[in-house]
Amino acid sequence: MTYYKCLYQSPLGPLSLIATDKGLRGIWFEDQKYFERGVTETPIMVEHPILKQATLLLDAYFAGQAVDLSLLSLDLSATPFQKAVWQFLQEIPCGQTVTYGQIAKSLGILSGQAVGGAVGKNPISILIPCHRVVGRKGQLTGYAGGIEKKRWLLAHEALMKKEEEDVSIL
């Protein structure tokens, strides 16, 4: 399998984007846990249509615009349980949070810890918004990119949501 890579300069630091011909494989902060997990060969640094599309989505997100991930092909290496959790993450509205327990209950499983394990291995940082998952009492917990990045992303989305509400009032 051939992997393609580009670096993206985000407001939170460099991101590594990797794709295959089937779709986006991952977006990782350079210093995060599970960095480029599952990439088994050295990626080629080259322009690729999937990477270009992913960078456009990141540009839109950081510019405060809504992002529709369904427009992007994904090539995720995951268990069915992980895929179910990651699908749930994509349904959390921008600017809102849910707890691990709420996800577990919605998916009909007993373990919020199992959900936490799947959330933590999400390879598509930011666009599959695992940063929107918080602890039982609303506290910020585990984020592979670091709690400060999670705090920044949630504050960014709160501002996006406020601006959206202000526009809808007009």
Side-chain angles (χ1 to χ4, degrees):
M1 177 177 300
T2 303
Y3 294 99
Y4 307 96
K5 177 176 179 171
C6 74
L7 296 177
Y8 179 88
Q9 296 302 320
S10 82
L12 294 169
L15 296 169
S16 172
L17 283 68
I18 295 183
T20 66
D21 287 319
K22 293 180 183 177
L24 185 66
R25 179 56 69 103
I27 299 174
W28 297 272
F29 290 101
E30 285 196 336
D31 56 354
Q32 85 169 56
K33 188 175 183 179
Y34 306 119
F35 180 74
E36 295 184 358
R37 178 179 168 265
V39 177
T40 56
E41 297 175 25
T42 303
I44 301 167
M45 295 290 287
V46 66
E47 286 193 28
H48 189 278
I50 292 169
L51 295 174
K52 179 65 175 167
Q53 193 175 11
T55 61
L56 292 173
L57 289 173
L58 288 168
D59 286 345
Y61 175 84
F62 287 117
Q65 300 167 13
V67 173
D68 183 359
L69 190 61
S70 70
L71 303 174
L72 182 65
S73 296
L74 301 176
D75 182 16
L76 301 175
S77 175
T79 67
F81 175 70
Q82 288 171 330
K83 286 182 179 180
V85 170
W86 300 343
Q87 180 60 48
F88 187 95
L89 297 177
Q90 294 175 61
E91 295 165 11
I92 304 169
C94 184
Q96 294 184 23
T97 58
V98 299
T99 67
Y100 297 98
Q102 287 172 314
I103 296 172
K105 185 176 180 180
S106 292
L107 295 178
I109 62 167
L110 299 176
S111 175
Q113 286 182 326
V115 168
V119 169
K121 289 187 174 85
N122 166 29
I124 311 284
S125 295
I126 303 166
L127 297 181
I128 295 181
C130 53
H131 58 274
R132 296 179 188 157
V133 183
V134 297
R136 185 174 26 146
K137 297 177 183 175
Q139 74 275 23
L140 299 187
T141 59
Y143 184 63
I147 294 294
E148 286 306 312
K149 288 181 175 84
K150 183 173 188 162
R151 183 175 285 117
W152 189 96
L153 291 165
L154 291 172
H156 175 66
E157 291 184 4
L159 184 60
M160 289 168 59
K161 187 175 178 182
K162 183 182 179 334
E163 290 174 357
E164 184 180 289
E165 290 169 355
D166 290 349
V167 169
S168 68
I169 292 172
L170 300 177

